[in-house]
Structures are given as C-alpha cells and as structure tokens.
Amino acid sequence: MPSTTPWWRSAVIYQVYVRSFADSGGDGVGDIAGIRSRLPYLKSLGVDALWINPWYKSPMADGGYDVADFRAIDPLFGTLADAEQLIADAHEHGIRIIPDIVPNHTSDQHTWFQAALTAGPGSPERERYIFRPGRGPDGAEPPNNWISCFGGPAWTRLPDGDWYLHLYAPEQPDLNWQHPDVHTEFESILRFWFNRGVDGFRIDVAHGLAKDPELPDLPPLPAPADGQPRPYVQHPHWDRDEVHDIYRTWRKIADEFDGERAFVAEAWADTPERLAAYVRPGGLHTAFNFDFLMASWDAKDLRTVIDDSLAMLSGVGAPATWVLSNHDVMRHTSRYARKTVARWVPNQRYQPEGDIDLELGTRRARAAALLMLALPGGAYIYQGDELGLPEVEDLSEAVLQDPIWERSGHTDRGRDGCRVPIPWSGQSAPFGFSPADASGEPWLPQPANWSERSVQAQTGDHTSMLELYRTALHLRRNHPALGDGSLAWVDAPVGVLAFRRAPGLLCVVNLSDEPYRLPEHTATLLASGPITDGLLEPDHAIWLQV
C-alpha cells in the first residue's frame, strides 16, 4: 500500500562524489553524464535518492566546495542542461536528487569577493564577508586566534592591510550571515534549484554560519571527564543558536514547493540535544548522525549512541539518520580493520593504530551494514561502501590533492584516500570508471587489486558485499518493520546487540569474541556471513523473521 510517511523519514540516500563516480568524457574526472549512465545500477541497488557533492562552477581549490557560481555547473562536470536532464532521468527511475549547498563560504573567485577586493577597506562590498583590521601597532597580527579546519590560521591578510576570515582554505572566504544580502542570495539560490526539480539539499557546515560578532579569541576548551562527552561550550563560530533562524526561513521556502522537498544538515554538535535543535518542528528535516559514525566497534558504545540519538530526535519528532562513511573520513572497512577500534574524536583526522586486517574490516563492515539498515529512520551509503572498498592508504605524496595536505605542512595526508574513483568492471585501471579510449588517467590512481571489488566482479556472487547490500536494501524497502519507526531491545549477552522491529523482525549483531546461539523458531531473512548449527559468529549480523 502507498505510504503516507514522508519519503525522507525512511530514505536510503546514496552519496555521489562526482569526480570519482563515473567518467563519461574520458578525461579521468567523473561527471554528470557519468551519473546518468549509472542510474540503472543505482535503481537496481535499491536506493531512494542521490546526495551529490558540489557540481557548481568552481576553481576546485577544495574539490568544488569553493563555489564561484551557485547557479552554474562547472564545465568539468557538464552544463546546467546536463544537470536538469539528470534530475529528470533520476525521477523517471524513482530516484530523488539532493545536491550540496555550501552557505558558509564562497570561492575567492566569486563575483562578490572579487568586488570586495577591488572596493577596498571599509567598503559596502566587504561587508558581505568578514573583513577586519589586524591587531598590534601595525595590524600585522590576525584579528583573533581562530584556526582553520585545514590547518594554520583562519585569517589571511591582503596587501591593503585588511584581514579576511576563512575557516577552511584561504580560497574559501567566510560569508557574513549578519548581512541581509547573504540571506536574500541564498533564498534565491534555493528557489533556483527547487524550480529545476531538486528534491532537497545537503547543507555543508550547517553549524558554522553564525559567528559571534565580537570575534572573541577561542577560549581553552574543557577536557571531558573519563568516559563522558566533552562539556558543551558556546563556541564563537560553531553551533550558535542564531543559525536556527536561518533554517526556519529555509524550511518555509522548501514547503512552498510540491513533492516534500527536504534538507539534511551536516551539523557537528557536542551533544544529542544540540543536534536535535536543528530538526525541531519548523526547522530542518534531518541531520547527519555523526555519533554513530564515530562510535567504536563496541556493543556498549553503539547501544549508547543509538539510544541517545533516538531519544533526542523522537523528542522533537524527527527521524534519525545513520551513516558509516563519507567523503571526509576514512572508509569504515579500513576503520574496522584493526582489532581494537577506538572512538573517533570530532574535528580530528581519524588515525587508527595497530595492524590492519582487511578481512576483519570487511567482515565487520558487512555486519555494520545490516545494523545500520535495520535501525529506525534513514541511512546514507557513500559510493563504494556497497563494494566494500577500503581506504587507499598508500597514495604517493605526488598525487595528493586535498588542501589539508599543504595546509598542514605535509603532516596530515587529508581525505584523498576515501575519494579514489570506484571500480566498475575489467581487470585493470581505470576499471570501467573511464571509457576504454580515455585520454586521461583517473584523477587519483586506483589500486591494482580493485578488479576483484568491481561492480562486475561482485554482481551475481551471493557472497559479495554488493549482493549483501542489494538484498538488504530490497528487503528494507519491502519489509513492513523496516524504515521509520522505533525499536525494542532484546536481552542478550555482553557484546551482543539484539533488537526487534515490529512487525516481526529481529536484528542481532555479535560484537563479542564468542559465537552467539540464535533463538529457535526463527527464520533467517539475511545474514552477513554463514550460519552453522544456529551460531552467529563474532563480527557477524543477521536479520530474523520472528
């Protein structure tokens, strides 16, 4: 029967990192035509929507997150007509489109910033960004001690003496959201794309738009007590209450359009309560649940994250979203490939320790997929998760392109390892990512052994990661217990997670070191690995009909 529940409460959304998904033109860079060519694959996989990383006109100082024109497609990816055709084709396949929007900053090549450079200190053009004089007798010191997320100071000085704020790369100047022009412009941008049929937006750095107008120095942040989250501190440029006024206006704009247009926030918050504030009634629809992504491979930690997330979000009537990987973090197949998986600390690159065991990581990744897809709410799959792709940790320094590499003084290799183009077919690079007669190599080199992980190699192999995902997604769409709703925990030994979804589904995940005997009188719907004599082995998961 048709569901009356809004689609975004249960949706499985597939993240497309455009440069690395499919290259139709043969230049080694993925493009919009490449996405269009793979829509049948995405439909067969069973996803509900695509989140597409920035496709706007950009100098690509940060992979497209430095936007020069929000109403134009970068020629590297295609044209506006190509984007409009993709939206139409995706809808014909029953797939929604959710592009990124980047409201915290623009490119330094944006017409506004170029006008600000020309106009000079004190001009109205500079008020759309955050320009300030420096400190000290000659203004040679930055206005405050804020640090860029990519390393180094968050301020750059111009020859005319003014400093401008950039919480990321210098090529990404922060906008001043106290200026009415900024509000008006982004409201217009939203309508521009809604009118072209997009089904929503993923909001980049949703927690960063509002800054303390006094621009105070960063205070020392208190350390958390043992086993406790870091105490919440009102930060001068992260997760300030003023951001919610912006999003209440955006929600009203989305509601003007037919078809249940929806937002998802990339919002880093110190507590579940702070995260829930983004999705209160009248605010955004959903927000990424990074606590789940950051959790260790530990039953107690995962259950705490699940309980806290569901409690806080249900309190404001919003669904949870679950995610294991994205374009900014180490792929979870590799995160889980160490015997002990520590909890990831926000705002720090994940640097796991210990010997890597990809067989272990793959086994855990299979179990984690069944856990994620059985939880109430929606889920996000980063391209290549369904292939079990690991992080490419041996890229040579010569090919690294993430600005973090340079900004950190070559101490942090950045995020390129999770952005390597995915393999589709064949025995050698580019593995079907580019046409056979491509003129260029993939923009990042692919490992030689990825032929065994390609879509072609895994299709039809019932033991493969791809077929596990495909089966799980189709079961999830058709089983009445899965998607939006609630769960009920079932008593289980230490190290085992077990919960029911009504009607009639039991999910069990064994994170212990011992086999777990499954309950009798149940039927297996799907398991992450072989089940022998009714035992669920360590690092395995199962869905049971009860």
Side-chain angles (χ1 to χ4, degrees):
M1 295 294 293
S3 173
T4 58
T5 302
W7 67 271
W8 45 269
R9 296 190 66 93
S10 298
V12 175
I13 300 176
Y14 187 94
Q15 181 188 353
V16 173
Y17 191 71
V18 187
R19 294 190 296 170
S20 299
F21 186 66
D23 164 29
S24 72
D27 60 358
V29 179
D31 47 45
I32 293 172
I35 302 172
R36 287 179 59 202
S37 73
R38 299 298 183 178
L39 287 173
Y41 165 77
L42 294 165
K43 181 178 182 178
S44 72
L45 184 60
V47 300
D48 301 298
L50 305 183
W51 156 31
I52 300 177
N53 288 102
W55 53 11
Y56 312 107
K57 185 176 181 181
S58 168
M60 299 293 162
D62 182 26
Y65 281 93
D66 49 317
V67 180
D69 187 344
F70 287 92
R71 296 176 181 84
I73 298 297
D74 194 89
L76 194 64
F77 303 138
T79 65
L80 181 59
D82 290 332
E84 292 171 336
Q85 190 62 57
L86 170 63
I87 295 165
D89 289 355
H91 288 169
E92 288 183 4
H93 284 81
I95 297 172
R96 291 176 167 88
I97 297 293
I98 302 173
D100 249 311
I101 192 166
V102 189
N104 181 69
H105 47 261
T106 70
S107 165
D108 61 354
Q109 300 304 305
H110 192 283
T111 55
W112 277 9
F113 194 73
Q114 289 296 302
L117 295 182
T118 301
S123 63
E125 289 83 355
R126 290 202 174 183
E127 293 176 4
R128 293 167 172 159
Y129 294 89
I130 301 176
F131 284 87
R132 292 291 187 276
R135 294 193 288 194
D138 56 358
E141 297 296 321
N144 63 29
N145 67 351
W146 294 2
I147 301 299
S148 163
C149 294
F150 289 170
W155 296 90
T156 289
R157 194 181 194 190
L158 297 172
D160 58 32
D162 261 5
W163 296 76
Y164 69 89
L165 178 69
H166 52 85
L167 292 179
Y168 292 88
E171 296 88 352
Q172 296 167 290
D174 277 49
L175 288 161
N176 175 19
W177 274 89
Q178 292 182 302
H179 197 292
D181 285 359
V182 178
H183 290 260
T184 301
E185 172 67 358
F186 274 88
E187 290 164 17
S188 173
I189 292 166
L190 294 178
R191 289 190 172 94
F192 177 89
W193 287 104
F194 279 142
N195 281 323
R196 279 155 182 79
V198 303
D199 300 281
F201 288 93
R202 178 263 191 186
I203 306 171
D204 185 61
V205 196
H207 58 295
L209 276 55
K211 281 82 170 173
D212 187 327
E214 300 300 320
L215 302 180
D217 277 347
L218 277 170
L221 297 179
D226 289 344
Q228 299 297 316
R230 181 158 55 92
Y232 174 72
V233 175
Q234 183 65 48
H235 196 284
H237 59 265
W238 292 143
D239 188 30
R240 293 179 59 82
D241 292 338
E242 298 93 316
V243 299
H244 303 301
D245 293 333
I246 299 168
Y247 299 136
R248 279 189 285 271
T249 299
W250 287 20
R251 176 63 179 263
K252 291 176 182 177
I253 292 172
D255 290 345
E256 295 173 9
F257 293 84
D258 296 332
E260 297 176 337
R261 314 300 173 98
F263 294 108
V264 58
E266 182 205 28
W268 291 92
D270 281 330
T271 66
E273 294 87 350
R274 294 295 301 179
L275 182 65
Y278 287 83
V279 290
R280 291 173 293 191
L284 301 175
H285 302 78
T286 61
F288 284 140
N289 185 351
F290 290 119
D291 279 350
F292 185 72
L293 182 151
M294 295 185 296
S296 56
W297 187 250
D298 174 83
K300 182 179 179 181
D301 191 16
L302 283 166
R303 177 163 175 173
T304 298
V305 166
I306 293 166
D307 283 342
D308 289 350
S309 300
L310 293 176
M312 288 302 104
L313 292 167
S314 64
V316 294
T321 63
W322 312 100
V323 60
L324 293 167
S325 290
N326 63 36
H327 66 294
D328 283 332
V329 301
M330 175 177 280
R331 285 191 178 272
H332 64 276
T333 300
S334 292
R335 289 205 314 274
Y336 293 154
R338 278 77 175 177
K339 182 63 177 175
T340 301
V341 180
R343 187 173 178 83
W344 179 41
V345 179
N347 300 322
Q348 294 184 15
R349 288 290 296 157
Y350 187 87
Q351 301 292 345
E353 297 179 355
D355 294 336
I356 187 168
D357 181 349
L358 275 181
E359 183 179 344
L360 173 65
T362 300
R363 189 162 64 247
R364 288 174 170 175
R366 293 172 65 91
L370 293 195
L371 169 62
M372 178 181 74
L373 294 172
L375 290 170
Y380 282 78
I381 298 171
Y382 178 44
Q383 63 181 43
D385 284 357
E386 79 278 18
L387 304 177
L389 297 185
E391 186 86 354
V392 182
E393 299 187 61
D394 59 354
L395 291 171
S396 71
E397 294 180 359
V399 303
L400 296 179
Q401 299 191 32
D402 190 339
I404 290 176
W405 172 239
E406 294 295 337
R407 292 283 294 171
S408 68
H410 296 178
T411 61
D412 187 331
R413 291 174 60 84
R415 301 159 293 179
D416 288 325
C418 65
R419 299 176 174 183
V420 173
I422 66 174
W424 291 93
S425 60
Q427 298 301 309
S428 60
F431 300 113
F433 167 71
S434 298
D437 59 351
S439 60
E441 299 291 328
W443 72 279
L444 286 173
Q446 301 158 299
N449 64 354
W450 270 16
S451 60
E452 61 195 42
R453 296 182 181 269
S454 72
V455 172
Q456 182 185 58
Q458 296 193 45
T459 296
D461 177 359
H462 73 278
T463 67
S464 71
M465 184 77 81
L466 175 58
E467 294 300 346
L468 178 76
Y469 266 86
R470 189 173 274 144
T471 304
L473 290 174
H474 284 272
L475 278 171
R476 190 181 191 277
R477 177 170 288 180
N478 292 300
H479 198 293
L482 295 172
D484 195 25
S486 59
L487 62 75
W489 293 104
V490 174
D491 288 340
V494 174
V496 176
L497 294 176
F499 57 87
R500 290 180 184 268
R501 300 291 313 277
L505 186 137
L506 175 67
C507 176
V508 184
V509 187
N510 187 1
L511 297 96
S512 74
D513 294 327
E514 300 294 331
Y516 170 71
R517 181 161 296 281
L518 296 168
E520 296 181 1
H521 310 299
T522 57
T524 298
L525 289 171
L526 183 61
S528 67
I531 305 298
T532 305
D533 297 328
L535 296 175
L536 186 66
E537 296 295 329
D539 299 315
H540 284 72
I542 193 169
W543 292 354
L544 297 167
Q545 185 72 35
V546 294

